[in-house]
Amino acid sequence: MFSRDYRDIVGGLLLVFLGLVFAGYAYVQYDLGTLRRMGPGMFPVMLGGTLALLGVFHTIPALTRPGVMPEIRIFSPLFVLAGCAVFALTLLAFGLVPAVIAITVVSSMAELEIRPLRLVLLSAALSLIAWLIFGIGFGLNLPMFRWPF
């Protein structure tokens, strides 16, 4: 057991860093304008500042509470990356719906306990959402199903 919650401290400081980097980049590259006539840099600067402030709010309580050693599993991110690769390889060959099902199944292997019913429901829901958004909503010329054989 650690005397401080270092996992939340590092996470909060990372949010502060990313927020300041994005706000600083937008401040340097884009015109801020005024509050009455906002320029293209006003919104990114405000979002970066808000992200940094949320990081501060996340870090301060972690300085006073005890933390535990986080469990590090190397295979979890590898399964997520493999899911992205499977999605990219499956999308053009088989279509959007099988690619979404493939990324869901491969990425779910990152969990220690796989629940088949939950996996089937999640795959079906994500496939339906992808079809509604990209096929119906955006009208993309992307095949939903394709049988290459």
Side-chain angles (χ1 to χ4, degrees):
M1 170 112 52
F2 293 120
S3 61
R4 293 191 174 98
D5 194 358
Y6 289 109
R7 183 176 57 182
D8 282 350
I9 291 171
V10 170
L13 291 177
L14 184 64
L15 288 175
V16 170
F17 174 74
L18 286 175
L20 292 177
V21 165
F22 288 131
Y25 179 80
Y27 181 76
V28 171
Q29 295 294 323
Y30 303 117
D31 182 33
L32 285 181
T34 64
L35 287 178
R36 285 184 180 244
R37 250 180 110 77
M38 292 184 187
M42 181 71 75
F43 190 67
V45 167
M46 291 178 77
L47 280 181
T50 303
L51 182 64
L53 187 65
L54 288 174
V56 168
F57 288 150
H58 189 79
T59 304
I60 289 174
L63 293 172
T64 59
R65 69 173 173 250
V68 296
M69 179 68 169
E71 180 183 340
I72 299 173
R73 295 188 311 243
I74 189 65
F75 291 110
S76 294
L78 293 179
F79 278 119
V80 173
L81 289 173
C84 294
V86 166
F87 179 82
L89 295 173
T90 309
L91 182 62
L92 293 178
F94 294 100
L96 180 65
V97 173
V100 169
I101 292 171
I103 191 173
T104 306
V105 169
V106 173
S107 296
S108 71
M109 293 180 192
E111 293 184 18
L112 291 178
E113 182 180 338
I114 298 173
R115 298 182 178 101
L117 178 63
R118 191 174 103 189
L119 181 59
V120 168
L121 291 175
L122 181 64
S123 297
L126 289 176
S127 297
L128 177 67
I129 290 169
W131 174 69
L132 287 173
I133 290 174
F134 298 110
I136 304 295
F138 292 151
L140 291 180
N141 190 13
L142 184 68
M144 294 299 131
F145 293 99
R146 180 184 284 174
W147 191 251
F149 304 112

